[in-house]
Amino acid sequence: MKFSIIIPVKEINDYIRTAMPHYKNMEFDDYEILIFPDHVDDAVAIEDVFKALGDKVRIIPSGETGPAEKRDMALEYAKGEYIAFIDDDAYPAAQWLTKAYELLQGSDVGAVGGPAVTAPEDDIWQQASGKTYESKLCSAGYTYRYIPEPRRDVDDLPSVNLIVKADLFKKIGGYDSNYYPGEDTKLCLDIVNTGHRIIYDPEILVYHHRRRMFKAHLKQATNYAKHRGYFAKVLPQTSRKFAYFVPSLFVLGLILGPILAIFFPFIWYIYGGVLALYFVLLALSIHKPGSFSVWILTMAGIFTTHVGYGIRFVQGLLSKELLR
């Protein structure tokens, strides 16, 4: 067995059902799929999942536990030489494992991954969430996680599209569930610290259903921000980077500008000019918006993401420990 595909999920859902045909259509056929729901109590749902792929799929109840713990169940159940992590709300492109297998043959390669592109069937609220992440003004130098960009070595990839050599995964001891979400950052750091490379390649591609604007999107983005702030303190090798601090500096400027302008009125001109420039850059940074509605929603999404991320990053930076 070459690949064990690991899908943590709370319950068998519509995303899992619609994803199964995409696995069947992959070019690389030597794999198993392990799905870890909390419980298995719906015979019809199970039958639906098995219908497309038959005995390639195993559904293993994990009990009520988090995604990181479910992914670590690969240590016990996975039979493949390589462990491919993907989320329940994502599905692979046809060449996903083909390209991964090619790159994993390098002895110095510990893991590979690629972009998680917004699923084309998502509605405009989800498309706007995806466009927010695709913007250079929002994701800075990390847009390669959301749109295909040239191959490169990286030190951090999200577990929505991360494929690790099984023996290395076992040697490391799997994920550190104390860091969810963000356990993938810790795992990638552990991989790099063993002296292995992590390769990003645009052809190792999955499609990812985004959270809808605004509530679900902001909940996800700000939760990551809190953990990234904490990681900037405890995992500085990969998380103490200036780009992660920029939203907090932006929020600080939004707050201090009007206060300082009370005492120094000329600051209003600077404040207004900087904000005007910000919104021009924001509007220009949106990657192929497609429609005016998505463009407007994305502009609002980037601004609210900056503010929410900036606040929660500081919260994480000041936290003594992360509570789930």
Side-chain angles (χ1 to χ4, degrees):
M1 182 74 64
K2 294 300 181 184
F3 288 91
S4 293
I5 300 170
I6 307 299
I7 309 176
V9 60
K10 188 171 181 60
E11 60 186 5
I12 303 300
N13 56 44
D14 288 341
Y15 280 146
I16 286 287
R17 295 188 185 96
T18 57
M20 287 299 108
H22 294 283
Y23 290 99
K24 186 175 182 179
N25 292 334
M26 288 192 301
E27 298 169 350
F28 200 98
D29 192 55
D30 190 3
Y31 64 87
E32 62 175 354
I33 298 175
L34 307 183
I35 303 174
F36 295 100
D38 286 355
H39 307 287
V40 178
D41 52 12
D42 187 342
V44 175
I46 295 172
E47 182 182 351
D48 286 346
V49 172
F50 272 91
K51 191 177 297 182
L53 289 160
D55 59 6
K56 280 186 176 291
V57 179
R58 284 190 285 160
I59 298 180
I60 303 168
S62 64
E64 295 183 6
T65 189
E69 290 89 351
K70 291 173 186 284
R71 293 187 182 104
D72 272 348
M73 293 179 71
L75 294 167
E76 180 179 355
Y77 292 100
K79 299 177 181 178
E81 295 177 37
Y82 313 103
I83 301 178
F85 296 103
I86 190 171
D87 290 351
D88 63 304
D89 58 354
Y91 59 87
Q95 75 281 7
W96 183 47
L97 296 185
T98 305
K99 193 64 181 182
Y101 182 72
E102 174 189 321
L103 293 178
L104 285 164
Q105 301 316 298
S107 59
D108 61 340
V109 178
V112 299
V117 175
T118 301
E121 62 269 28
D122 280 357
D123 64 29
I124 63 169
W125 299 93
Q126 293 170 293
Q127 292 287 339
S129 175
K131 294 299 176 187
T132 296
Y133 288 126
E134 292 170 19
S135 166
K136 288 285 187 184
L137 200 63
C138 188
S139 297
Y142 299 94
T143 51
Y144 62 84
R145 296 180 179 181
Y146 312 105
I147 52 179
E149 294 185 5
R151 183 191 297 180
R152 68 195 69 179
D153 280 21
V154 296
D155 57 17
D156 191 359
L157 283 174
S159 52
V160 66
N161 186 7
L162 179 63
I163 304 171
V164 186
K165 287 182 176 178
D167 56 353
L168 179 59
F169 185 70
K170 293 172 183 176
K171 178 181 178 181
I172 290 170
Y175 284 93
D176 190 332
S177 59
N178 292 320
Y179 290 123
Y180 179 79
E183 77 284 1
D184 38 22
T185 292
K186 178 63 166 57
L187 176 66
C188 288
L189 179 59
D190 289 340
I191 291 171
V192 171
N193 284 341
T194 65
H196 288 83
R197 299 165 61 201
I198 301 175
I199 299 178
Y200 164 94
D201 189 282
E203 293 186 50
I204 306 175
L205 184 146
V206 303
Y207 295 95
H208 193 192
H209 296 287
R210 302 297 179 199
R211 307 289 175 90
R212 302 183 82 235
M213 286 289 187
F214 284 87
K215 184 178 179 180
H217 166 87
L218 289 175
K219 181 179 179 181
Q220 180 188 51
T222 58
N223 206 10
Y224 282 124
K226 180 181 177 183
H227 281 73
R228 186 63 69 181
Y230 182 75
F231 289 159
K233 180 169 54 178
V234 300
L235 302 176
Q237 299 97 316
T238 55
S239 293
R240 192 175 296 171
K241 297 180 179 180
F242 180 71
Y244 293 132
F245 289 81
V246 170
S248 299
L249 295 174
F250 175 70
V251 172
L252 183 64
L254 286 177
I255 296 170
L256 288 182
I259 295 173
L260 291 174
I262 295 173
F263 303 99
F264 308 101
F266 72 89
I267 288 180
W268 279 119
Y269 297 102
I270 300 173
Y271 187 77
V274 170
L275 276 183
L277 177 61
Y278 167 79
F279 281 107
V280 169
L281 292 174
L282 187 156
L284 295 175
S285 75
I286 299 172
H287 179 74
K288 299 179 180 178
S291 72
F292 182 74
S293 297
V294 172
W295 184 64
I296 292 296
L297 284 173
T298 304
M299 286 185 64
I302 294 172
F303 176 75
T304 54
T305 299
H306 279 161
V307 173
Y309 194 104
I311 294 170
R312 292 279 276 171
F313 181 87
V314 173
Q315 184 182 356
L317 194 63
L318 298 177
S319 297
K320 292 183 178 180
E321 60 179 343
L322 283 180
L323 299 177
R324 304 187 77 182

